[in-house]
Amino acid sequence: MSSPAERRRILLDCDPGHDDAAAMVVAAHYGELVGVSTVGGNAPLADVTTNALLTAQIFGIDVEVHPGCDRPLVAEPLHAPEVHGVSGFAGPSLPDLERAPSTVGAIEYIIEAVRAEEGLWLVPTGPLTNIATVIRRAPDVAARVAGISFMGGSAEGGNRTATSEFNALVDPEAVKVVLDCGARILMSGLDLTRQFTVDDRLADDLAGIGTTGALVLSDLIRAYLDKAEERGLPRRGGLHDPCAVLAVTHPDTIERTLRPVDIELGGRLTRGMTVVDRRPMSRGGERTSPDRGEANVEHCHTLDHSRCRSLFLDAVATLSRAA
Ligand code: BDR
Ligand code: CA
C-alpha cells in the first residue's frame, strides 16, 4: 500500500453500480477520499445516491455524498437496468440506510473544494455531466486540479452500442467539454478496463473474505454476471471503474500514452464513440498529419491484472474488516 505521504486526494464522481462501489472502496483505502458526488447514469440519481451512501456506510467510509445532475447536458437520460438492475444495486440484501445525502449539491461542492485546495484528483466513473457542468461554470477548475481520471470511452468498440461505451454514450457533449478543458486527463476506456476481469472466481474470492462489505460486493457481482448470462453473454466482463482510481493511486500498474482523443457527437451509428489516435507521434512530438489533433489525453491501455486484482481484494478485506 502507498505510504500516507503518497496518498492522492480524490473526489469520486460516480453512479453506483457494483464497479463504482468497488472504485469507492479502492479510493478510500489507497487514497484520501475527500468527497463523493453522484450523477444519474446506471440508475436514476436518487438510486445511485442511495447506493453511494450505502457503500460508504457498509465499508465505514467517512465521507459526504453530494447529489449532482439527474440528466445529461443535452441528451435524454439513459440508464442500465439490464446490467445493474433497476436500482443500480441488484443482488444483495442491503441494510437500512442510516446516512443522508449532503444538502450541498455536487456542482457547488466540487467547485468549492477545488478552489479551496489545489491538486485534487477528480475521478469520474459515471457519465461526465457533473464534471462538464463544473468546468462550464468555473473554467479555473481545470488548471487547479492535479488531473481528471475518468472511466469511459473506448479505443476498440463499445458496449452500449457497437461503437460507444455506456458513460460516453449517456452524455457525449459532457465528454467533449472535459476533453477540451485543458486539464491533465487520464482515460480508462473499455480497451483497458476489460483487462480487469470480473467473473465468478472474483465473486468467490470476495465471498471468501467473509465480511459484510465483501459479501455485498460478491452478491452485486454475481447478480451482474447472472444478468449477463440472461442476455446470452459470457459470465465474464470488466471491473471498469476501479481502473480510473488505480491509474491515480498506483500509476505503475497501468501503462498510458499521451494521445489525441476526441468524441463523435453527430454520427447516426457512432454518437458517443471516442476516437483515440494511436498513430505514432513524430520523435519531436509534433503533428505527423494535418488531421491529427493535439495530444490531450493520457490513454491508459495496459493493466497489470494480477496486481490490480490483489490490490482490489486487499482494499476490500482491510476496509471491511475495520468497518
Ligand atoms: C461503465 O458503465 C457502467 O455500467 C459502469 O459502472 C462503468 O462505469 C462501463 O461501460
Ligand atoms: Ca460507473
Side-chain angles (χ1 to χ4, degrees):
M1 187 170 108
S2 9
S3 73
E6 295 166 335
R7 289 160 76 99
R8 304 288 184 251
R9 289 174 62 79
I10 291 172
L11 300 187
L12 180 73
D13 184 63
C14 58
D15 63 337
H18 67 274
D19 55 339
D20 300 81
M24 194 194 296
V25 169
V26 172
H29 186 55
Y30 296 116
E32 299 286 346
L33 184 58
V34 175
V36 171
S37 50
T38 52
V39 62
N42 282 327
L45 182 68
D47 293 300
V48 298
T49 302
T50 296
N51 299 344
L53 287 162
L54 277 170
T55 305
Q57 177 181 315
I58 291 166
F59 282 89
I61 301 169
D62 185 18
V63 72
E64 292 275 315
V65 175
H66 304 266
C69 300
D70 62 358
R71 52 174 303 132
L73 296 182
V74 177
E76 288 302 311
L78 177 67
H79 307 301
E82 72 288 358
V83 180
H84 299 272
V86 174
S87 74
F89 252 16
S93 80
L94 294 160
D96 291 338
L97 185 58
E98 292 161 5
R99 298 185 181 196
S102 171
T103 52
V104 180
I107 308 305
E108 188 187 343
Y109 167 70
I110 296 171
I111 293 172
E112 274 181 14
V114 171
R115 284 184 172 161
E117 176 182 346
E118 213 160 336
L120 290 172
W121 273 96
L122 303 184
V123 180
T125 58
L128 287 173
T129 320
N130 286 347
I131 306 301
T133 305
V134 162
I135 290 165
R136 279 184 167 177
R137 211 168 286 177
D140 56 301
V141 159
R144 293 189 59 81
V145 293
I148 301 173
S149 176
F150 76 99
M151 189 284 133
S154 174
E156 61 167 32
N159 53 4
R160 183 63 186 229
T161 69
T163 60
S164 305
E165 181 279 331
F166 177 76
N167 291 337
L169 180 72
V170 171
D171 200 342
E173 283 74 17
V175 176
K176 180 70 179 155
V177 171
V178 172
L179 291 177
D180 290 351
C181 78
R184 179 180 177 193
I185 297 175
L186 274 53
M187 169 176 155
S188 295
L190 294 177
D191 50 306
L192 178 88
T193 62
R194 282 174 172 152
Q195 296 168 39
F196 193 157
T197 309
V198 56
D199 56 8
D200 282 299
R201 208 165 64 83
L202 187 65
D204 290 345
D205 286 354
L206 285 164
I209 294 171
T211 56
T212 304
L215 290 169
V216 165
L217 281 180
S218 175
D219 288 351
L220 285 168
I221 285 174
R222 207 82 78 181
Y224 161 78
L225 297 172
D226 290 347
K227 286 191 169 295
E229 194 170 25
E230 281 163 22
R231 286 182 291 144
L233 299 170
R235 292 182 67 83
R236 186 186 171 87
L239 194 64
H240 308 289
D241 292 339
C243 298
V245 178
L246 289 168
V248 170
T249 59
H250 294 78
D252 52 323
T253 62
I254 294 178
E255 286 175 45
R256 74 278 316 262
T257 304
L258 187 64
R259 290 181 164 137
V261 178
D262 208 338
I263 183 156
E264 181 61 67
L265 300 179
R268 185 175 64 85
L269 298 174
T270 53
R271 180 170 156 79
M273 173 185 176
T274 47
V275 178
V276 179
D277 191 341
R278 286 189 281 192
R279 291 175 292 178
M281 299 286 279
S282 70
R283 230 175 286 122
E286 61 274 3
R287 291 186 205 195
T288 48
S289 161
D291 68 292
R292 191 182 171 99
E294 294 295 334
N296 56 340
V297 170
E298 291 173 48
H299 168 223
C300 298
H301 50 78
T302 309
L303 165 155
D304 178 340
H305 180 250
S306 72
R307 184 104 195 287
C308 288
R309 194 176 190 281
S310 51
L311 284 166
F312 168 58
L313 289 170
D314 284 353
V316 172
T318 311
L319 216 57
S320 61
R321 282 187 189 127

